[in-house]
Amino acid sequence: MNCFDCLKNEKFLFFLGGMAAATLGVKALKSDRARKLCVNGLAKGMQLQKDAQATFQSMREDAQDLCYDAKLQAEKDAE
């Protein structure tokens, strides 16, 4: 069997490609630049979550105020 016959096998080429991608992927993830990108992405996500919670809290307080005002108005109308 000739070694070049292996290069004609599609499954073997996919296997080699997967091995190369995994090896390069591990090296890329261990790099300082990848770590900085991941940390920055996580920090932005955490900031978005914090902002969303603050917005939700504000909306909740506004809704409670509207409900209270509507209750007071209903009581005035009932009198």
Side-chain angles (χ1 to χ4, degrees):
M1 183 170 169
N2 190 352
C3 286
F4 293 111
D5 289 339
C6 291
L7 295 177
K8 294 178 184 177
N9 187 344
E10 189 175 299
K11 290 181 183 178
F12 181 72
L13 291 176
F14 284 141
F15 175 76
L16 285 180
M19 292 282 291
T23 302
L24 293 175
V26 168
K27 288 187 180 195
L29 289 176
K30 287 185 179 181
S31 71
D32 287 337
R33 185 164 188 210
R35 184 180 186 285
K36 286 180 184 178
L37 286 173
C38 290
V39 168
N40 286 338
L42 185 60
K44 287 180 183 179
M46 292 169 70
Q47 184 63 43
L48 284 173
Q49 181 185 16
K50 185 178 177 182
D51 292 344
Q53 287 175 341
T55 300
F56 177 73
Q57 184 63 31
S58 175
M59 290 170 55
R60 184 177 179 183
E61 290 170 358
D62 290 345
Q64 287 174 339
D65 290 344
L66 287 172
C67 185
Y68 181 74
D69 291 343
K71 182 179 177 183
L72 288 179
Q73 186 64 38
E75 288 175 359
K76 278 185 181 179
D77 292 343
E79 292 176 358

